[in-house]
Each structure stands twice: as C-alpha cells, then as structure tokens.
Amino acid sequence: MTDLAVPSTATVVCATCGADVPPAEACAACHGPTALEGRYRLLAVLGQGANGTTYRAERLSDGQPVAIKELLVRRLDSVKAMDLFAREAKVLETLEHPGVPRYYEDFTAGSGKTVGLYLVQELIEGETLQSELARRRFREDEVLLVMADVLDILAYLHGVEPPVVHRDIKPANVMRRRDGRLALIDFGAVRDVVRGAEDGSTIAGTFGYMAPEQFAGRAEPASDLYSVAVLAVALLSRRDPQDLVGPDHRLAWQDAVDVSPELAVLLSAMLRPDPRDRPRHAGTLAERARALARGDASAVDGLGAVAVRSARPLALPPAPPRPLPAAYAKRFAPLSGFHLTFGAIFASVGGGVGSVFLISGLASGEALFALIGGGLGSLFLLVGLGFLRAGFRKRTKVRRVLTEGEVTVGEVVDTGYDTSIRVNGRSPYQLAYRVRVDGRVYDGRLTGWDPHLVDRQRGEEVPILYLPSDPAANVAIVEPW
C-alpha cells in the first residue's frame, strides 16, 4: 500500500492497538493495519492517478467494505481538481440507482500541506469492461446488451433534476458486478447541468471517447450517448478510439468494425457530430439496443437518413383556449411592451423637442438653429415611430398566432442573452428555436426578461404555435399552460 499522506497525529491510528502511528503500511508496534480518521481500515490500493488514489477499505463500525477516493491537495496543480472532487461528492450524494456507486460520506483530513480530501462510497466488486476486453472478444449481441445496460443508467442520470452528465464513459469506467449487472463508476468528471447556467469552458473526459462539443467545453446528455457508441466501437474493434479520431474530432469507425447493417445505423445515429442530430433519449435507445440483440431489425427504423428529432413524441399541451386575453399574449412577446414604451418616449420627446427648437429658431430669426433643432426632433420622432410600429406588429402577430394558431413540435437552437439590447446594464434573455412545417424549416426568436426563456437545452423539443396560413409567424411556448 502507498502512503496515506495524512498527518501522523490522531488522524491515522492503528486499527489493532489504537496507537498513533505515521502513515504507513502497518503499525510499527503491533504490525496491524492503520485506520483513516479512526473509522476506516485501508486494505489495498485499487487505483492511482496523477492527483489521487482509490483504496479498498473497511468501515470499522460494522465491517462494511467500501471504496475510499483520496485527493491530496499538495499534489494538485490547480484548484479545478478540488472543484471537480467536491462536485463528484455532491452529485453522488443525490443519486440512488443500482448502476451508480452508493455515496456514504466525504470529509477532509489533515492540515496544511498534508491535507487530503476523501470520498467514501460503495465498493463495486467485479471487473471493468477494460479488464474483460484484455482477455476476450465481445460478440455483437453482447455489445448491444452492454449498450442497453449503460443507457438504462444514463436514462436515470439524465432524468434527474438537474440532469447529470457523466462526461467520461469508457471501458475502464464500466464495472460488471459479480451477478452480471453493470455499474458506471468514477464520477470525477461529472457535471450537473443547471439549466440556464454555463459550466465555463472546462474540458473533461477521455480523448477518443469525448463528443466533439466537449472539446469546446460543452457537455450535455447527448454527449454521453455519443460516448456509449464509442464504447461499443472500442469493444467491437479492440482498438483505442483515439487512434480512430481525425483532426476534425470525428471518429472514423466504419472500417474498424465488422457489424450488421442495423447496428451500423444505430451507431451512426449516436455518433453524429452535431448533438442536435443525435437521438436524445437514453431510455428509447436502450429499448432499441435490446430489440436489436433479439434480432429485431425494425428497431432502427427511423434512424437512418435524417436526424431523429421525433424518435420519441413530445407530450403536447392542450390546444389554447380561444379567444385569449391580451395579457396572455404579452407573456409570449414581452418586448412588444418594450417597443411600445420606447416608441412612445422617443416619439413624444422627438415631437416636443423638435417643436420647441423649431418655434424658438423661427421666433429668434435663427434659421439654422430652427433647421438643426427641427431635424433632430424629426429624427427622434422617426425613431419613436419605428419602435411603435415594431411593437404593434409584434403584438398583433402574437395575438393572431395565439388565437388562430395550431400546435406542433420544434426544437431549441440556442439560449442566452440578447446583447443588442441593454437596459439598466442588463440584457434580456433570448431563446432561438426552429420548427419544420410542410417540409420547410422556419427559425424564430423569443426575447424577454423571463428566466424561463433560458431554462432549456439545445436540441430540446418545445411546443410551437404557428399559423397554418403563414408558418413563419410562430411562437415558442416555454412556460406551462
């Protein structure tokens, strides 16, 4: 066993005789094993990385086998590793699924240069897929069942609120329990996706298994689905995926595996470079993979030529009541009020100031003064009228869509801030969406101060109200009805 790197005071004691001992493999007095914080007997090293070590241990109070992950602060080259460790503990504490190691506790031991962070979790007894891969070959049906089991775990992770993205799915992080069930381990790169918040530009994962968007610091549930497909390629080809990745971050996998046309269709859909074009529901993909393993070729119907944006229909809200009050229309076009307000201000100020300057100039005989003043006033007036026109058009459009429109399904293209507008130092929220009607694609934007506008992920399905006679006139519905 390697040294614990915790203080040689009361934090490491002999589990047999209770004497204070330096961090060592055994007590110098009685040769018994040492204990961490007097609560855990450390038995063996399970794995070791650049920043920390994972131990097989035993809880002294009841003999429960556990895994203890240790992160030594003195070995860290950045604070980010500590943040990721804290995030892993926080996320694991909220999860409860047989495919995820159970969280027991986390704590800090030591002080100064010897301080260490510790995460205690369930010890998964078994073998990783990486170890299996080193000693045997996987058949296609076996790989499909592995995909299905991992996708079941992801369906749970992606279904919690906020969704949890693992970001590092690979053979070394998938453990087969002794009863054959699979578990997803090592949540060190995990991200809980808080909607409307960005995760900076952190790049986490393993090269070769990472989806293209992860290289830009973005990770979403569709990124995990990409990694599951790469996991399948690695099991089938017995090759390191990083050897198959080109300079454009695309995986050239077709020539590395010999699979059925149906599995090729499934992998192709999951490995699309744009996350918006991949299937987005892990549970549905798990069902498809199990059906393929049973020999049902129809399981990949609809995954072939086009993006699978309707693989799982969205439960649409009921049709809106008609007629709708004007106040309801304003909820979906907040900036109509903004345009009308500023239009009225500019028009009144422009008209008033222009009149004052014009009259003053004429009265004093200063023609140039009257001309300049009148011109500036006219300019303000025109700007104000432009705002008023835009506001009335927006409000009229939304009222018409809400009273005459039909509901269909669109998707979120992007969310963020409308930086073209700033009021009191703030920019309003903006949601960009896309809808397909009668084979044609229409883009739209919704802007306002409601945080619900950014409470969505790229590629997520949203109900869209549109006018059948004019599909370009449409409104995304981002709040409950």
Side-chain angles (χ1 to χ4, degrees):
M1 180 184 299
T2 58
D3 289 348
L4 285 179
V6 292
S8 58
T9 56
T11 54
V12 177
V13 300
C14 177
T16 304
C17 66
D20 292 344
V21 295
E25 191 171 304
C27 174
C30 68
H31 303 289
T34 57
L36 177 62
E37 286 288 279
R39 302 200 303 274
Y40 296 99
R41 178 182 291 117
L42 304 176
L43 304 176
V45 175
L46 295 176
Q48 193 158 16
N51 293 327
T53 304
T54 301
Y55 297 96
R56 175 192 296 271
E58 180 184 70
R59 190 163 54 197
L60 295 179
S61 61
D62 57 5
Q64 172 71 40
V66 297
I68 299 182
K69 189 172 183 179
E70 173 193 62
L71 187 71
L72 302 178
V73 175
R74 64 182 173 82
R75 295 184 183 175
L76 303 182
D77 54 6
S78 72
V79 179
K80 191 64 182 178
M82 294 180 63
D83 293 340
L84 290 173
F85 190 91
R87 178 185 296 172
E88 179 181 8
K90 177 183 175 183
V91 170
L92 282 175
E93 187 176 8
T94 66
L95 302 179
E96 186 174 352
H97 188 276
V100 177
R102 187 180 300 110
Y103 166 93
Y104 291 132
E105 68 169 319
D106 63 281
F107 57 88
T108 302
S111 61
K113 294 183 179 180
T114 60
V115 70
L117 309 180
Y118 296 88
L119 170 62
V120 185
Q121 55 190 315
E122 176 189 5
L123 177 65
I124 305 290
E125 298 282 5
E127 184 181 24
T128 66
L129 294 187
Q130 180 172 290
S131 297
E132 284 191 37
L133 189 60
R135 62 178 177 79
R136 74 180 187 94
R137 296 182 180 276
F138 281 79
R139 302 191 309 272
E140 182 172 313
D141 60 328
E142 291 178 317
V143 170
L144 283 165
L145 293 177
V146 166
M147 292 176 66
D149 287 348
V150 175
L151 287 165
D152 281 339
I153 301 171
L154 292 178
Y156 165 75
L157 295 178
H158 297 169
V160 300
E161 188 61 36
V164 171
V165 182
H166 188 276
R167 296 203 292 185
D168 197 18
I169 296 171
K170 57 185 179 182
N173 287 341
V174 181
M175 179 81 74
R176 191 186 299 278
R177 297 178 185 266
R178 289 175 177 172
D179 62 4
R181 294 179 301 158
L182 295 184
L184 196 55
I185 62 173
D186 195 351
F187 281 66
V190 71
R191 177 189 176 195
D192 47 341
V193 184
V194 180
R195 289 177 174 173
E198 293 296 330
D199 189 36
S201 58
T202 302
I203 299 177
T206 300
F207 185 74
Y209 293 90
M210 294 164 57
E213 63 271 13
Q214 288 181 252
F215 289 93
R218 302 196 319 271
E220 52 192 88
S223 308
D224 280 347
L225 304 186
Y226 180 99
S227 298
V228 172
V230 181
L231 169 70
V233 171
L235 296 179
L236 290 165
S237 67
R238 297 172 62 87
R239 294 181 60 181
D240 190 334
Q242 68 175 331
D243 297 334
L244 306 177
V245 177
D248 57 353
H249 301 312
R250 296 195 180 193
L251 190 74
W253 61 276
Q254 291 87 345
D255 294 334
V257 297
D258 183 14
V259 296
S260 65
E262 293 78 20
L263 178 54
V265 169
L266 179 63
L267 294 177
S268 295
M270 297 172 68
L271 290 170
R272 290 188 175 115
D274 191 332
R276 296 172 297 177
D277 292 334
R278 298 175 206 144
R280 290 187 299 279
H281 302 285
T284 302
L285 284 175
E287 295 171 4
R288 290 178 181 269
R290 286 196 176 90
L292 275 185
R294 295 193 301 267
D296 182 2
S298 66
V300 294
D301 287 352
L303 291 182
V306 297
V308 284
R309 290 181 178 138
S310 59
R312 182 176 176 182
L314 180 69
L316 293 176
R322 297 180 172 85
L324 288 169
Y328 198 81
K330 288 170 65 177
R331 287 173 57 191
F332 294 100
L335 281 193
S336 62
F338 170 85
H339 285 101
L340 292 175
T341 300
F342 272 72
I345 292 174
F346 272 86
S348 59
V349 170
V353 171
S355 298
V356 170
F357 271 76
L358 182 62
I359 294 173
S360 300
L362 293 175
S364 63
E366 296 289 342
L368 181 61
F369 184 73
L371 182 63
I372 294 175
L376 289 174
S378 300
L379 179 62
F380 270 78
L381 180 63
L382 290 175
V383 171
L385 292 176
F387 271 104
L388 287 172
R389 180 172 179 270
F392 279 118
R393 289 186 63 183
K394 181 179 283 289
R395 180 165 293 186
T396 300
K397 166 192 168 182
V398 174
R399 281 180 174 173
R400 187 181 173 203
V401 172
L402 287 170
T403 54
E404 303 175 17
E406 296 182 2
V407 182
T408 187
V409 178
E411 66 167 352
V412 176
V413 176
D414 202 4
T415 61
Y417 293 95
D418 184 355
T419 55
S420 64
I421 302 172
R422 290 190 70 82
V423 179
N424 293 330
R426 293 180 56 223
S427 293
Y429 303 112
Q430 180 174 257
L431 179 142
Y433 60 90
R434 179 173 297 145
V435 61
R436 185 185 298 271
V437 179
D438 297 331
R440 296 190 62 183
V441 175
Y442 300 91
D443 293 322
R445 292 182 181 275
L446 202 55
T447 307
W449 303 103
D450 193 337
H452 284 290
L453 290 173
V454 291
D455 190 25
R456 291 295 182 269
Q457 298 181 53
R458 290 179 57 191
E460 182 177 344
E461 293 174 329
V462 290
I464 304 290
L465 271 174
Y466 74 100
L467 281 176
S469 59
D470 181 16
N474 50 67
V475 179
I477 302 170
V478 293
E479 295 186 47
W481 288 78

